[in-house]
Amino acid sequence: VNNGHKHILLFFPGYPWQELAYSQTYVADNNNLMVYSYPLSKVVIDYGFLYLVYLVAAYAYFSKVHETKQKGIELANAISNATKDELTGLSNRKVFREEVLKRRLRSAPYSVIAIDGDRLKRINDKYGHHVGDEVLVIVANAMRKVFRSSDYLVRTRGDEFVAILPDCNFGNANALAKKLQNLVQDNPLKKMGVEASVSTGIAIAEENESLQDVIMR
């Protein structure tokens, strides 16, 4: 009481740093003044466990998100690896079963270039299989340089390859086949006397013709 006026202080004893508090003043009437003081340390002490729970939950959530993302990447890599040829990095025959490829070929006309490595058995016998493998890699790299990134480049078996070219007519396919042949012949192994070359065949898909039939033709 001060000069007949009552100052009533509401506070929470037992908490440190009382000076760091949220304060609110209420005027009841001309003679009564109420001050409400809520120390910030009370929030930390009384509800600290909630922050801990929140941090644990947030950590668990983001860990799960990261784990799910990693599994998605691993699954995508596994699917990609399942359709990739280990030696050349081109697609393997499994790509023929993919729905994406089937839909793409149904929606537009396409050309197929069958590519066959020449004299690979002779190269293997004379220089060794490691040189033969290098020839296959040279063919694959030449295919990547010649054809579009949207084309499907496949190693079907041994020294046999296929290039599937959507929206490509016979004239363009023929020009690309010749460019590929020239690029394969002009390779670093030529200086060693290794004659790497490919033979090619071209077919244009007809209406309602399956991919396998086009490749065989």
Side-chain angles (χ1 to χ4, degrees), residues 20-189:
L20 298 176
Y22 165 78
S23 297
Q24 182 68 46
T25 302
Y26 301 92
V27 178
D29 50 42
N30 292 335
N31 295 318
N32 294 281
L33 181 68
M34 300 177 63
V35 178
Y36 178 76
S37 180
Y38 193 102
L40 299 181
S41 58
K42 177 176 171 57
V43 178
V44 177
I45 294 173
D46 290 3
Y47 302 102
F49 74 97
L50 291 178
Y51 296 115
L52 181 61
V53 170
Y54 170 77
L55 289 175
V56 171
Y59 175 79
Y61 171 77
F62 287 110
S63 295
K64 193 65 177 178
V65 169
H66 178 72
E67 180 184 352
T68 302
K69 185 177 180 181
Q70 286 298 113
K71 287 183 177 179
I73 293 173
E74 290 173 3
L75 177 61
N77 290 336
I79 294 173
S80 177
N81 291 335
T83 57
K84 291 294 183 183
D85 176 63
E86 185 176 355
L87 176 63
T88 63
L90 300 182
S91 299
N92 59 32
R93 295 176 62 86
K94 292 180 182 178
V95 76
F96 294 149
R97 299 197 294 266
E98 289 191 347
E99 287 300 322
V100 175
L101 173 61
K102 293 178 181 179
R103 288 196 300 268
R104 179 89 184 276
L105 299 185
R106 282 196 298 264
S107 64
Y110 63 94
S111 301
V112 171
I113 303 179
I115 302 160
D116 195 7
D118 297 331
R119 302 177 299 276
L120 187 64
K121 184 178 184 306
R122 187 189 307 174
I123 292 173
N124 285 335
D125 293 341
K126 185 175 181 179
Y127 299 100
H129 285 273
H130 64 287
V131 177
D133 288 348
E134 183 63 26
V135 171
L136 295 176
V137 173
I138 286 172
V139 174
N141 290 338
M143 291 174 66
R144 291 190 187 91
K145 292 179 181 179
V146 170
F147 300 114
R148 301 166 297 184
S149 59
S150 58
D151 295 330
Y152 294 87
L153 310 180
V154 186
R155 183 189 179 195
T156 53
R157 61 171 63 84
D159 58 351
E160 298 177 10
F161 303 82
V162 165
I164 305 170
L165 318 176
D167 294 313
C168 183
N169 58 34
F170 181 85
N172 289 335
N174 189 49
L176 291 171
K178 291 180 179 178
K179 184 177 180 180
L180 176 67
Q181 289 175 329
N182 293 333
L183 192 59
V184 171
Q185 286 180 338
D186 187 21
N187 67 83
L189 294 181

